[in-house]
Short mmCIF file of all heavy atoms in Angstrom, two decimals:
data_model
loop_
_atom_site.label_atom_id
_atom_site.label_comp_id
_atom_site.label_asym_id
_atom_site.label_seq_id
_atom_site.Cartn_x
_atom_site.Cartn_y
_atom_site.Cartn_z
N VAL H 82 141.92 -104.41 18.37
CA VAL H 82 140.62 -104.18 18.74
C VAL H 82 139.78 -104.24 17.43
O VAL H 82 140.27 -103.88 16.42
CB VAL H 82 140.27 -102.91 19.57
CG1 VAL H 82 140.64 -101.75 18.60
CG2 VAL H 82 138.92 -102.86 20.13
N GLN H 83 138.56 -104.77 17.62
CA GLN H 83 137.60 -104.85 16.39
C GLN H 83 137.07 -103.39 16.17
O GLN H 83 136.85 -102.67 17.08
CB GLN H 83 136.58 -105.74 16.71
CG GLN H 83 137.09 -107.20 16.66
CD GLN H 83 135.98 -108.31 16.69
OE1 GLN H 83 134.76 -107.80 17.09
NE2 GLN H 83 136.23 -109.45 16.47
N PRO H 84 136.58 -103.12 14.94
CA PRO H 84 135.92 -101.89 14.66
C PRO H 84 134.82 -101.69 15.64
O PRO H 84 133.95 -102.64 15.87
CB PRO H 84 135.47 -102.05 13.25
CG PRO H 84 136.47 -102.99 12.64
CD PRO H 84 136.83 -103.99 13.80
N GLY H 85 134.56 -100.52 16.13
CA GLY H 85 133.55 -100.16 17.07
C GLY H 85 133.88 -100.42 18.53
O GLY H 85 133.21 -100.07 19.39
N GLY H 86 135.02 -100.96 18.70
CA GLY H 86 135.59 -101.28 20.02
C GLY H 86 136.22 -100.03 20.73
O GLY H 86 136.30 -98.98 20.13
N SER H 87 136.73 -100.34 21.91
CA SER H 87 137.28 -99.18 22.70
C SER H 87 138.69 -99.61 23.24
O SER H 87 138.98 -100.81 23.48
CB SER H 87 136.49 -98.92 23.88
OG SER H 87 135.23 -98.36 23.48
N LEU H 88 139.55 -98.59 23.45
CA LEU H 88 140.80 -98.94 24.07
C LEU H 88 141.18 -97.55 24.89
O LEU H 88 140.63 -96.47 24.64
CB LEU H 88 142.04 -98.92 23.09
CG LEU H 88 142.15 -100.32 22.34
CD1 LEU H 88 143.36 -100.05 21.37
CD2 LEU H 88 142.60 -101.35 23.46
N LYS H 89 141.83 -97.66 26.00
CA LYS H 89 142.31 -96.55 26.80
C LYS H 89 143.81 -96.51 26.90
O LYS H 89 144.46 -97.51 27.39
CB LYS H 89 141.58 -96.56 28.29
CG LYS H 89 141.99 -95.24 29.03
CD LYS H 89 141.17 -95.25 30.26
CE LYS H 89 141.42 -93.96 31.09
NZ LYS H 89 140.57 -94.03 32.22
N LEU H 90 144.42 -95.55 26.43
CA LEU H 90 145.75 -95.36 26.46
C LEU H 90 146.25 -94.50 27.67
O LEU H 90 145.50 -93.71 28.10
CB LEU H 90 146.42 -94.65 25.15
CG LEU H 90 146.01 -95.22 23.85
CD1 LEU H 90 146.67 -94.44 22.70
CD2 LEU H 90 146.34 -96.70 23.75
N SER H 91 147.37 -94.90 28.25
CA SER H 91 147.90 -94.19 29.38
C SER H 91 149.32 -93.64 29.09
O SER H 91 150.15 -94.39 28.31
CB SER H 91 147.83 -94.97 30.59
OG SER H 91 146.54 -95.40 30.85
N CYS H 92 149.69 -92.50 29.69
CA CYS H 92 151.08 -92.07 29.51
C CYS H 92 151.55 -91.58 30.84
O CYS H 92 150.90 -90.51 31.31
CB CYS H 92 151.19 -91.00 28.45
SG CYS H 92 152.76 -90.24 28.31
N VAL H 93 152.55 -92.17 31.47
CA VAL H 93 153.08 -91.70 32.66
C VAL H 93 154.33 -90.89 32.48
O VAL H 93 155.19 -91.30 31.68
CB VAL H 93 153.40 -92.97 33.64
CG1 VAL H 93 153.94 -92.39 34.99
CG2 VAL H 93 152.16 -93.73 33.90
N VAL H 94 154.33 -89.69 33.05
CA VAL H 94 155.45 -88.66 32.84
C VAL H 94 156.29 -88.67 34.13
O VAL H 94 155.77 -88.36 35.28
CB VAL H 94 154.85 -87.35 32.58
CG1 VAL H 94 156.01 -86.41 32.33
CG2 VAL H 94 153.98 -87.36 31.28
N SER H 95 157.55 -88.90 33.98
CA SER H 95 158.48 -88.69 35.14
C SER H 95 158.99 -87.37 35.28
O SER H 95 158.91 -86.60 34.22
CB SER H 95 159.70 -89.75 35.03
OG SER H 95 160.45 -89.33 33.77
N GLY H 96 159.40 -86.90 36.37
CA GLY H 96 159.98 -85.52 36.53
C GLY H 96 158.74 -84.75 37.12
O GLY H 96 157.65 -85.14 37.41
N SER H 97 159.05 -83.42 37.42
CA SER H 97 158.15 -82.71 38.18
C SER H 97 157.43 -81.69 37.32
O SER H 97 156.73 -80.64 37.84
CB SER H 97 158.98 -81.84 39.27
OG SER H 97 159.95 -81.13 38.62
N ILE H 98 157.46 -81.79 36.09
CA ILE H 98 156.83 -80.84 35.11
C ILE H 98 155.39 -81.05 34.80
O ILE H 98 154.72 -80.18 34.22
CB ILE H 98 157.67 -80.63 33.90
CG1 ILE H 98 157.55 -81.93 32.96
CG2 ILE H 98 159.11 -80.38 34.15
CD1 ILE H 98 157.97 -81.81 31.57
N PHE H 99 154.99 -82.26 35.04
CA PHE H 99 153.56 -82.65 34.54
C PHE H 99 152.57 -81.70 34.75
O PHE H 99 151.72 -81.27 33.88
CB PHE H 99 153.19 -84.08 35.12
CG PHE H 99 152.01 -84.49 34.53
CD1 PHE H 99 151.96 -85.19 33.24
CD2 PHE H 99 150.73 -84.40 35.11
CE1 PHE H 99 150.74 -85.62 32.76
CE2 PHE H 99 149.59 -84.82 34.51
CZ PHE H 99 149.59 -85.44 33.34
N SER H 100 152.43 -81.15 36.03
CA SER H 100 151.17 -80.34 36.31
C SER H 100 151.37 -78.89 35.62
O SER H 100 150.23 -78.26 35.49
CB SER H 100 151.26 -80.11 37.88
OG SER H 100 152.23 -79.37 38.27
N ILE H 101 152.43 -78.53 35.19
CA ILE H 101 152.55 -77.14 34.45
C ILE H 101 152.62 -77.23 33.00
O ILE H 101 152.70 -76.22 32.32
CB ILE H 101 153.76 -76.49 34.98
CG1 ILE H 101 155.05 -77.14 34.65
CG2 ILE H 101 153.67 -76.23 36.60
CD1 ILE H 101 156.34 -76.31 35.05
N THR H 102 152.55 -78.38 32.28
CA THR H 102 152.66 -78.47 30.90
C THR H 102 151.38 -78.99 30.20
O THR H 102 150.66 -79.84 30.89
CB THR H 102 153.83 -79.31 30.46
OG1 THR H 102 153.59 -80.76 30.84
CG2 THR H 102 155.19 -78.84 31.01
N ALA H 103 151.30 -78.62 29.03
CA ALA H 103 150.19 -79.24 28.13
C ALA H 103 150.62 -80.58 27.87
O ALA H 103 151.87 -80.86 27.65
CB ALA H 103 149.91 -78.33 26.98
N MET H 104 149.71 -81.45 27.58
CA MET H 104 149.94 -82.88 27.10
C MET H 104 149.24 -83.15 25.95
O MET H 104 148.08 -82.71 25.66
CB MET H 104 149.61 -83.89 28.12
CG MET H 104 150.42 -83.78 29.55
SD MET H 104 152.23 -84.05 29.45
CE MET H 104 152.20 -85.59 28.58
N ASN H 105 150.01 -83.88 25.05
CA ASN H 105 149.50 -84.10 23.65
C ASN H 105 149.48 -85.68 23.36
O ASN H 105 150.40 -86.34 23.82
CB ASN H 105 150.19 -83.38 22.55
CG ASN H 105 150.38 -81.96 22.93
OD1 ASN H 105 149.37 -81.18 23.09
ND2 ASN H 105 151.57 -81.50 22.97
N TRP H 106 148.55 -86.07 22.59
CA TRP H 106 148.64 -87.38 21.95
C TRP H 106 148.78 -87.19 20.41
O TRP H 106 147.99 -86.47 19.91
CB TRP H 106 147.40 -88.25 22.29
CG TRP H 106 147.35 -88.79 23.60
CD1 TRP H 106 146.64 -88.36 24.74
CD2 TRP H 106 148.01 -90.07 24.08
NE1 TRP H 106 146.84 -89.17 25.86
CE2 TRP H 106 147.73 -90.13 25.34
CE3 TRP H 106 148.87 -90.95 23.49
CZ2 TRP H 106 148.21 -91.28 26.14
CZ3 TRP H 106 149.27 -92.08 24.15
CH2 TRP H 106 149.04 -92.03 25.53
N TYR H 107 149.61 -87.78 19.81
CA TYR H 107 149.90 -87.81 18.46
C TYR H 107 149.69 -89.26 17.90
O TYR H 107 149.78 -90.25 18.63
CB TYR H 107 151.21 -87.41 18.02
CG TYR H 107 151.57 -85.95 18.01
CD1 TYR H 107 151.72 -85.14 19.32
CD2 TYR H 107 151.57 -85.14 16.86
CE1 TYR H 107 151.98 -83.79 19.32
CE2 TYR H 107 151.88 -83.74 16.88
CZ TYR H 107 152.08 -83.08 18.14
OH TYR H 107 152.24 -81.74 18.12
N ARG H 108 149.46 -89.47 16.63
CA ARG H 108 149.56 -90.74 16.02
C ARG H 108 150.22 -90.64 14.59
O ARG H 108 150.24 -89.61 14.00
CB ARG H 108 148.20 -91.37 15.91
CG ARG H 108 147.26 -90.68 14.80
CD ARG H 108 145.86 -91.33 14.98
NE ARG H 108 144.90 -90.57 14.06
CZ ARG H 108 143.59 -90.81 13.96
NH1 ARG H 108 143.10 -91.66 14.78
NH2 ARG H 108 142.89 -90.18 13.04
N GLN H 109 150.81 -91.74 14.24
CA GLN H 109 151.37 -91.88 12.90
C GLN H 109 150.96 -93.22 12.21
O GLN H 109 151.40 -94.38 12.87
CB GLN H 109 152.90 -91.68 12.96
CG GLN H 109 153.52 -91.65 11.69
CD GLN H 109 154.98 -91.14 11.70
OE1 GLN H 109 155.62 -91.14 12.73
NE2 GLN H 109 155.53 -90.61 10.53
N ALA H 110 150.27 -93.26 11.09
CA ALA H 110 149.97 -94.46 10.46
C ALA H 110 151.14 -94.72 9.44
O ALA H 110 151.76 -93.71 9.02
CB ALA H 110 148.67 -94.22 9.84
N PRO H 111 151.21 -95.98 8.95
CA PRO H 111 152.26 -96.24 8.02
C PRO H 111 152.11 -95.46 6.69
O PRO H 111 150.97 -95.25 6.26
CB PRO H 111 151.99 -97.77 7.62
CG PRO H 111 151.29 -98.25 8.96
CD PRO H 111 150.47 -97.09 9.40
N GLY H 112 153.19 -94.86 6.31
CA GLY H 112 153.22 -94.03 5.11
C GLY H 112 152.55 -92.66 5.21
O GLY H 112 152.45 -91.81 4.25
N LYS H 113 152.24 -92.28 6.45
CA LYS H 113 151.62 -90.88 6.73
C LYS H 113 152.43 -90.13 7.68
O LYS H 113 153.26 -90.75 8.42
CB LYS H 113 150.24 -91.17 7.25
CG LYS H 113 149.22 -91.70 6.25
CD LYS H 113 147.78 -91.82 6.79
CE LYS H 113 146.82 -92.36 5.66
NZ LYS H 113 145.49 -92.33 6.08
N GLU H 114 152.19 -88.80 7.73
CA GLU H 114 152.84 -88.00 8.65
C GLU H 114 152.33 -88.02 9.93
O GLU H 114 151.14 -88.49 10.10
CB GLU H 114 152.66 -86.46 8.13
CG GLU H 114 153.53 -86.16 6.93
CD GLU H 114 153.56 -84.79 6.56
OE1 GLU H 114 152.95 -83.98 7.29
OE2 GLU H 114 154.26 -84.38 5.57
N ARG H 115 153.00 -87.74 11.07
CA ARG H 115 152.43 -87.73 12.42
C ARG H 115 151.55 -86.59 12.50
O ARG H 115 151.66 -85.55 12.07
CB ARG H 115 153.68 -87.65 13.39
CG ARG H 115 153.31 -87.93 14.82
CD ARG H 115 154.49 -87.86 15.67
NE ARG H 115 155.47 -89.04 15.37
CZ ARG H 115 156.44 -89.38 16.03
NH1 ARG H 115 156.68 -88.72 17.19
NH2 ARG H 115 157.21 -90.38 15.78
N GLU H 116 150.34 -86.99 13.29
CA GLU H 116 149.38 -85.93 13.37
C GLU H 116 148.89 -85.86 14.74
O GLU H 116 148.85 -86.71 15.52
CB GLU H 116 148.04 -86.16 12.54
CG GLU H 116 147.39 -87.45 12.77
CD GLU H 116 146.16 -87.80 11.81
OE1 GLU H 116 145.91 -86.85 11.10
OE2 GLU H 116 145.60 -88.82 12.01
N LEU H 117 148.44 -84.59 15.21
CA LEU H 117 148.13 -84.32 16.67
C LEU H 117 146.63 -84.77 16.56
O LEU H 117 145.71 -84.33 15.97
CB LEU H 117 148.27 -82.85 16.95
CG LEU H 117 147.65 -82.38 18.17
CD1 LEU H 117 148.48 -83.00 19.40
CD2 LEU H 117 147.79 -80.89 18.31
N VAL H 118 146.40 -85.63 17.63
CA VAL H 118 145.04 -86.27 17.91
C VAL H 118 144.27 -85.45 18.87
O VAL H 118 143.01 -85.24 18.72
CB VAL H 118 145.08 -87.70 18.19
CG1 VAL H 118 143.70 -88.39 18.50
CG2 VAL H 118 145.94 -88.49 16.97
N ALA H 119 144.97 -85.23 19.97
CA ALA H 119 144.23 -84.61 21.11
C ALA H 119 145.12 -83.83 22.04
O ALA H 119 146.46 -84.29 22.08
CB ALA H 119 143.50 -85.55 22.05
N ALA H 120 144.85 -82.76 22.67
CA ALA H 120 145.66 -82.02 23.52
C ALA H 120 144.93 -81.52 24.72
O ALA H 120 143.74 -81.34 24.63
CB ALA H 120 146.24 -80.85 22.76
N ILE H 121 145.64 -81.44 25.75
CA ILE H 121 145.05 -80.91 27.00
C ILE H 121 145.92 -79.95 27.77
O ILE H 121 147.14 -80.37 28.00
CB ILE H 121 144.50 -82.06 28.00
CG1 ILE H 121 143.75 -81.46 29.16
CG2 ILE H 121 145.65 -82.93 28.41
CD1 ILE H 121 143.06 -82.60 29.97
N THR H 122 145.58 -78.76 28.17
CA THR H 122 146.37 -77.82 28.68
C THR H 122 146.49 -78.17 30.23
O THR H 122 145.83 -78.95 30.77
CB THR H 122 145.91 -76.42 28.59
OG1 THR H 122 144.72 -76.36 29.34
CG2 THR H 122 145.70 -76.08 27.09
N SER H 123 147.42 -77.44 30.85
CA SER H 123 147.59 -77.62 32.35
C SER H 123 146.30 -77.26 33.04
O SER H 123 145.98 -77.85 34.07
CB SER H 123 148.76 -76.89 32.83
OG SER H 123 148.43 -75.42 32.67
#
C-alpha cells in the first residue's frame, strides 16, 4: 500500500477459546524485535 493508505488485517481463530481470551497483534520489521501493536481483551 502507498503511504497514507489503508489495510484491514483479519485473524481467524479455530477452537472454542476465542470468546474468553485476549487477542493481540504484533509486528516485526527486518532487523528489529517483535513488538506489540494492539490488544483487545475478551
Side-chain angles (χ1 to χ4, degrees):
V82 63
Q83 292 186 343
S87 298
L88 282 174
K89 186 173 185 177
L90 307 183
S91 301
C92 173
V93 179
V94 182
S95 64
S97 59
I98 68 167
F99 183 81
S100 64
I101 64 173
T102 63
M104 295 299 303
N105 309 303
W106 284 100
Y107 283 78
R108 69 186 180 188
Q109 188 166 20
K113 295 188 177 181
E114 293 188 353
R115 193 171 295 190
E116 62 181 355
L117 179 62
V118 176
I121 185 167
T122 68
S123 58

